[in-house]
Amino acid sequence: MTSTQSKWLEAELKYDSRVVGKHEVVMTRGQGSVVWDESGRSYIDCVAGYGVANIGHCHPDVVKAIRDQAERLLVMPQSLPNDKRAEFLSELVGVTPAGLDRVFLCNSGTEAMEAAKKFAITATGRKRFVSMKRGFSGRSLGALAFTWETKYREPFGEAVDNRNVDFVTYGNIEELRAAITSDTAAVILEPVQGEGGVRPASPEFIQEARRLTQEKGALLILDEIQTGFCRTGKMFAAEHYGVVPDGMTLAKAMAGGVPIGAFVMTADVADRMPAGGHGGTFGGNPLAMAAGVAAIRAMKREGMAEQAREKGAYFMEKLRAIQSPKIREVRGLGLMIGVELKEKSAPYIHALEHEEGVLTLQATPLVVRFLPPVTISREQIDTVVAAFERVLN
Ligand SMILES: CC(=O)N[C@@H](CCCNCc1c(COP(=O)(O)O)cnc(C)c1O)C(=O)O
């Protein structure tokens, strides 16, 4: 503990579980694409809460919605209908692909994945799943069964039971064809693998996954927890591929920063779950619902999907213009961007934060990932690219 460390950092390091590695800064404020630490230093935030602050930190519409709802009603379980929940469900179903009009509400991506797993089992009467190598589905023991990297699963041994999961190489149609059988309840895949290194799927792969699952009576579940809500240049990444899945897991940006998750599905899938077969205390709470209504309306009103498409193309063009022997590839979709280096990315991520005031994150050891708010300005993109070029040299 250095003497300059604040009392906040001291307390957090003292009492936190510390399962998550901590940076030695204390962030106290955010607005749009900028966050400030307790000393008043500003950072352009290309972490955005791991792809949560798509509409920007403290979007005024979301702040107002939270303030208004906080003065009306915070607590109402899903067994008791609520006006804000009805408004949110209508708003959400208004933007999901046609046919995905039944929603299980929860509070995180992992919870959405847990729900998806249970709905798929009751919808098909089957218990096997196909998931992707390099895939990430969450940290709960059920979601971890679909998560590929052993580092996430190792400490828990057999408690992570993935004996009913067949992993296939992301993008490999032959492996996919062989893995989907009449025992398969669902194929789980991210349209762009996020934690797995920012890897967009080929249209052929997702379209074949759709065709094969239909052929074999299995569900196609797209995990849009990181790709959803304008991140990739469409409201949902599925739209790039012209595919309508049987279900989508959603979370992160859906409520403008307030914790939320959802499994959206077809009526066929929803109706096969026995009454009372799943649930949760906070799902559909009025606060998250009010924030979600404001967030989705802001996305639509401000054309954020188009913003992500345009700015993502600009951002990747500028990154590709960097002349550096350290860069292997710049890839991504919309404002979900990864730069794969020929060496470990951690030192550059550290330098960006401490020397340049730019926050970025890893996606596997060699990749620097950029997940800025969609509302980032082109000037801020220029600043980030110039900073990245400096730390590479
Ligand atoms: C610092 C930290 O805890 N980071 C998180 C970052 C997770 C980011 N991804 C979440 C995610 C999840 C899990 O979502 P949630 O439970 O973290 O909300 C599911 N599916 C996809 C495609 C996802 O990207 C972690 O390491 O678990």
Side-chain angles (χ1 to χ4, degrees):
M1 206 80 57
T2 59
S3 60
T4 55
Q5 275 177 342
S6 75
K7 61 181 180 180
W8 306 126
L9 181 59
E10 191 174 343
E12 183 161 336
L13 290 176
K14 181 175 177 184
Y15 300 117
D16 185 275
S17 71
R18 282 189 255 173
V19 68
V20 176
K22 300 274 183 187
H23 296 215
E24 299 216 340
V25 284
V26 176
M27 297 300 184
T28 56
R29 192 163 64 85
Q31 191 61 51
S33 299
V34 180
V35 292
W36 288 264
D37 69 21
E38 63 178 319
S39 71
R41 187 183 183 209
S42 66
Y43 303 76
I44 298 177
D45 183 12
C46 293
V47 175
Y50 277 76
V52 169
N54 291 12
I55 67 172
H57 287 280
C58 300
H59 190 291
D61 297 3
V62 172
V63 170
K64 182 178 183 318
I66 292 170
R67 186 180 294 125
D68 293 349
Q69 189 63 34
E71 292 167 354
R72 289 182 69 222
L73 181 69
L74 288 173
V75 178
M76 196 47 62
Q78 298 193 64
S79 49
L80 290 161
N82 164 261
D83 57 337
K84 273 303 164 188
R85 186 181 310 131
E87 204 175 358
F88 174 77
L89 288 168
S90 309
E91 201 65 48
L92 178 60
V93 169
V95 296
T96 50
L100 294 186
D101 53 13
R102 300 284 291 279
V103 186
F104 175 79
L105 290 166
C106 53
N107 312 284
S108 69
T110 289
E111 285 180 66
M113 191 54 75
E114 291 284 355
K117 193 167 181 177
K118 291 175 74 174
F119 276 97
I121 290 168
T122 51
T124 62
R126 302 174 182 182
K127 298 225 179 9
R128 295 200 67 79
F129 290 87
V130 173
S131 189
M132 301 294 133
K133 292 177 183 172
R134 288 200 183 115
F136 184 96
S137 295
R139 302 292 202 130
S140 58
L141 292 174
L144 265 181
F146 298 154
T147 295
W148 170 250
E149 279 300 326
T150 47
K151 70 176 183 179
Y152 294 119
R153 294 184 275 117
E154 208 111 63
F156 314 105
E158 285 74 53
V160 179
D161 184 355
N162 58 9
R163 287 170 298 178
N164 65 342
V165 182
D166 301 303
F167 286 97
V168 304
T169 303
Y170 191 67
N172 188 315
I173 289 176
E174 287 320 305
E175 283 187 33
L176 186 65
R177 183 172 291 117
I180 303 172
T181 71
S182 55
D183 294 328
T184 304
V187 171
I188 312 279
L189 68 84
E190 300 159 76
V192 180
Q193 288 193 318
E195 307 310 312
V198 188
R199 297 174 189 283
S202 69
E204 297 73 25
F205 185 65
I206 294 204
Q207 287 154 11
E208 190 62 6
R210 175 65 288 178
R211 193 186 67 76
L212 286 167
T213 44
Q214 257 153 351
E215 188 181 281
K216 302 278 185 172
L219 304 186
L220 175 62
I221 294 175
L222 293 185
D223 181 343
E224 294 243 22
I225 288 160
Q226 189 165 153
T227 55
F229 297 102
C230 305
R231 173 59 53 194
T232 69
K234 297 278 188 187
M235 182 58 78
F236 298 104
E239 298 164 45
H240 291 288
Y241 298 94
V243 160
V244 178
D246 301 287
M248 290 197 308
T249 47
L250 305 175
K252 288 189 187 281
M254 183 157 54
V258 170
I260 191 169
F263 178 54
V264 294
M265 68 198 103
T266 62
D268 287 350
V269 172
D271 290 342
R272 299 290 296 272
M273 170 65 77
H278 196 42
T281 301
F282 286 103
N285 69 79
L287 184 70
M289 300 294 96
V293 167
I296 294 173
R297 286 180 181 165
M299 292 173 201
K300 294 189 297 187
R301 192 182 58 254
E302 298 178 29
M304 291 196 195
E306 183 53 21
Q307 284 194 51
R309 190 192 66 74
E310 286 171 358
K311 293 175 191 176
Y314 179 76
F315 204 152
M316 283 193 269
E317 180 192 338
K318 302 284 281 187
L319 287 168
R320 289 184 175 122
I322 296 176
Q323 299 300 316
S324 168
K326 296 174 182 175
I327 293 179
R328 181 185 305 284
E329 182 187 19
V330 175
R331 57 176 181 255
L333 192 58
L335 279 172
M336 188 169 176
I337 297 171
V339 179
E340 182 169 335
L341 303 179
K342 295 172 184 167
E343 55 189 271
K344 291 233 184 296
S345 57
Y348 301 101
I349 290 168
H350 185 273
L352 277 167
E353 177 182 332
H354 293 281
E355 295 164 25
E356 301 287 344
V358 172
L359 299 179
T360 59
L361 70 166
Q362 265 191 341
T364 70
L366 300 183
V367 175
V368 180
R369 182 172 24 162
F370 300 83
L371 295 175
V374 167
T375 52
I376 190 170
S377 69
R378 285 174 185 252
E379 293 71 30
Q380 288 168 325
I381 291 173
D382 293 343
T383 302
V384 168
V385 173
F388 189 46
E389 189 161 21
R390 275 193 294 275
V391 300
L392 286 173
N393 291 331

